[in-house]
Amino acid sequence: LSQVVAAPVDAPDDVISSGRVPMVSLLLVSALWLGALAGFVVSRPVPADVISSRASSLALWVRTVWLPLAIVAGQGLVLGIVGGVILEAGIGATLGLSLLLAALGASFVFANHALAGWLGNAGRAVSVLLLVVTVALGLSSAASWLAPVAAVSPLHNGLLVVRTWLADGSGGIGLASMALLLAAIALTMSVLAISSRRRLTVEQYRRAA
């Protein structure tokens, strides 16, 4: 009885109970999202020769996204190793985290390219807003009113996937399915951001003439 009174809750001193998993997960996915966003701040989301080029729309899309895609996927692999070391995860968990972050990085590239390709600077602002929403929800429960935005955010979904993986929690299949759905939508919109610009509008034709 004296031991129970002295320590009514025996909380293990591990990375999950100490809150390190949620914080590290937030930092990892935020860094990936920023990398994907930066890729289309530095480079044009729509090629300058999108109309005059004889290459197919798919070829132009590949030419536009391959470098940011390779960089962010590589960033995901490195961040996975860093996260595994910080959390003292095993080799298997660290390898899985690296592959997961590389895949999420690819989906983040598609999403940011679609936003920048369709909306320009407004799309980049939306990307920053999604990051702010995810960080706010990750740091404080007082931001729960932002949940409707987070529900359609690939970034927030990615955070939940990574956090579930690291904490070995339940619901991973549903979250992974949602991540695949959001990635497919982002990929489709990313390709359309190129292919839809292959013809001049009437206004653009008048200005060119």
Side-chain angles (χ1 to χ4, degrees):
L1 180 61
S2 63
Q3 291 177 347
V4 173
V5 172
V9 178
D10 187 11
D13 185 17
D14 57 24
V15 295
I16 296 176
S17 62
S18 64
R20 288 172 62 190
V21 162
M23 181 56 65
V24 170
S25 300
L26 179 61
L27 292 175
L28 292 176
V29 297
S30 296
L32 269 185
W33 187 263
L34 284 173
L37 172 60
F40 299 106
V41 171
V42 175
S43 61
R44 293 175 59 98
V46 178
D49 61 343
V50 66
I51 296 177
S52 60
S53 176
R54 295 184 178 181
S56 67
S57 297
L58 184 60
L60 286 176
W61 176 80
V62 171
R63 192 182 77 187
T64 302
V65 305
W66 79 266
L67 185 56
L69 185 61
I71 292 174
V72 176
Q75 180 186 359
L77 293 174
V78 173
L79 286 174
I81 296 174
V82 173
V85 171
I86 292 174
L87 296 175
E88 301 175 355
I91 295 177
T94 300
L95 178 60
L97 178 61
S98 292
L99 295 177
L100 175 59
L101 289 176
L104 284 175
S107 70
F108 290 174
V109 168
F110 300 150
N112 277 278
H113 176 254
L115 287 171
W118 283 102
L119 302 176
N121 287 332
R124 297 181 181 96
V126 170
S127 178
V128 173
L129 176 62
L130 293 177
L131 177 60
V132 171
V133 168
T134 298
V135 171
L137 287 171
L139 295 179
S140 174
S141 59
S144 58
W145 58 276
L146 295 171
V149 177
V152 296
S153 169
L155 173 57
H156 188 74
N157 177 260
L159 170 62
L160 297 179
V161 172
V162 171
R163 195 165 64 191
T164 301
W165 169 266
L166 289 174
D168 196 21
S170 60
I173 295 178
L175 291 171
S177 299
M178 178 58 71
L180 289 174
L181 175 61
L182 292 174
I185 294 173
L187 174 60
T188 301
M189 297 304 296
S190 175
V191 174
L192 289 177
I194 299 292
S195 62
S196 65
R197 306 295 179 86
R198 300 306 303 273
R199 58 177 64 92
L200 287 170
T201 65
V202 174
E203 185 62 28
Q204 289 173 326
Y205 180 80
R206 289 174 178 173
R207 287 202 298 265

